[in-house]
Amino acid sequence: PGVYTEETSLFPPSVASLATAIPAFVGHTEKTGNQEEDDLINQPKRITSLLEFKALFGGSYTPDKYEVTLKDIDSLEIEKVEAQDGNGKNRNYYLYDSIRHYFDNGGGPCYVVSVGSYTDEIIPGDDTNGLIGGLKSLRQEEEPTLLLIPDSVLLADETATGTLHKDIVEQCADLQDRFGNLDVYNGNLSKSDSIDDFRDKIGTENLNYAAAYYPWLYTTYKKEVHFTQLEIKVKGKDKGI
């Protein structure tokens, strides 16, 4: 009586590794389903690699042409570069590049929601279409913990982007199991302009459920551009050279 033994483990306590965040990306993709119907629209899909993304959603967006505007003909200094479709309309999509960047930097499982193809306009939409429709479809998914919509900065103006940002924050606050990663509209411009507009449009409610990143990232990814895609103009002149 009064004698007992205590077993001491020779190994430290083991802790199972768990994913700290499962991001969900919403945006436009090359493919939206099979040839008969757009059965991927607003359907969250869990993927684990860029190869799996390409199999489901296709590859990156390739503009029909790039309009390069020079400041003057003597210095050949570039004023701006705009990606355009076959009708000469500015068009771009950022979802594929964001997914590629995510996996190239060690990303794991994530969700992707396609809201349209590369021929569709980027619009805020509503509960059933556009970027807001894709965002709404994530409400029923329990696993995602981060919400990201890279194409939000391609909307018509700061007001449209701000409306979408408010919807992201609202979903995070309602469900309390996810966090919004917001992109600053015109995040490539001076801080005073873009940040002030962002603060004005995002409002003041539930801001602890999101974060904004400024400025935009510049990556080392290279785009293959054929000379036939280039249209070179000089600032202040309508005709190309």
Side-chain angles (χ1 to χ4, degrees):
V3 177
Y4 63 93
T5 61
E6 179 180 354
E7 294 184 2
T8 303
S9 175
L10 298 178
F11 301 98
S14 60
V15 178
S17 60
L18 296 174
T20 56
I22 303 293
F25 297 86
V26 179
H28 288 251
T29 57
E30 181 183 21
K31 296 190 294 186
T32 58
N34 56 39
Q35 295 181 351
E36 286 74 28
E37 56 183 342
D38 295 330
D39 57 354
L40 290 177
I41 295 292
N42 290 347
Q43 298 296 319
K45 297 295 182 181
R46 190 180 191 273
I47 63 171
T48 57
S49 67
L50 184 61
L51 184 63
E52 192 174 353
F53 176 90
K54 289 181 177 179
L56 276 175
F57 299 104
S60 63
Y61 171 68
T62 302
D64 287 275
K65 66 177 180 178
Y66 293 92
E67 183 179 273
V68 181
T69 303
L70 305 177
K71 286 187 176 182
D72 59 73
I73 193 64
D74 297 322
S75 67
L76 299 181
E77 184 177 353
I78 295 177
E79 172 78 11
K80 63 180 179 179
V81 178
E82 294 179 334
Q84 298 182 346
D85 61 17
N87 297 319
K89 186 173 183 178
N90 294 346
R91 189 179 292 275
N92 215 340
Y93 303 93
Y94 292 152
L95 178 63
Y96 173 84
D97 291 328
S98 300
I99 294 288
R100 178 185 174 190
H101 196 265
Y102 171 70
F103 284 118
D104 282 353
N105 284 274
C110 67
Y111 282 75
V112 176
V113 181
S114 175
V115 300
S117 70
Y118 293 155
T119 60
D120 297 322
E121 296 289 338
I122 299 175
I123 59 172
D126 52 32
D127 288 358
T128 60
N129 61 53
L131 296 177
I132 292 178
L135 175 66
K136 297 291 185 183
S137 70
L138 288 167
R139 276 187 169 269
Q140 307 303 319
E141 300 295 332
E142 296 182 355
E143 196 174 12
T145 56
L146 283 176
L147 302 180
L148 306 99
I149 307 183
D151 288 342
S152 64
V153 296
L154 295 169
L155 290 169
D157 51 42
E158 299 91 335
T159 301
T161 302
T163 299
L164 179 61
H165 285 166
K166 287 181 180 179
D167 282 359
I168 294 174
V169 174
E170 180 183 353
Q171 181 177 135
C172 295
D174 288 347
L175 301 180
Q176 297 189 14
D177 62 357
R178 55 199 62 186
F179 191 80
N181 189 333
L182 311 181
D183 296 297
V184 176
Y185 192 90
N186 285 332
N188 57 324
L189 302 181
S190 66
K191 183 176 181 179
S192 59
D193 295 334
S194 54
I195 294 300
D196 288 347
D197 286 337
F198 173 81
R199 288 173 173 168
D200 179 56
K201 300 299 186 296
I202 191 62
T204 58
E205 297 183 3
N206 301 312
L207 298 185
N208 55 321
Y209 286 96
Y213 291 85
Y214 176 91
W216 290 359
L217 291 176
Y218 287 91
T219 74
T220 56
Y221 292 144
K222 295 181 179 180
K223 295 283 188 180
E224 293 186 2
V225 179
H226 195 270
F227 74 94
T228 57
Q229 292 177 273
L230 296 176
E231 182 177 302
I232 302 176
K233 300 172 62 176
V234 179
K235 185 179 180 180
K237 297 183 179 181
D238 295 331
K239 295 183 179 181
I241 59 175

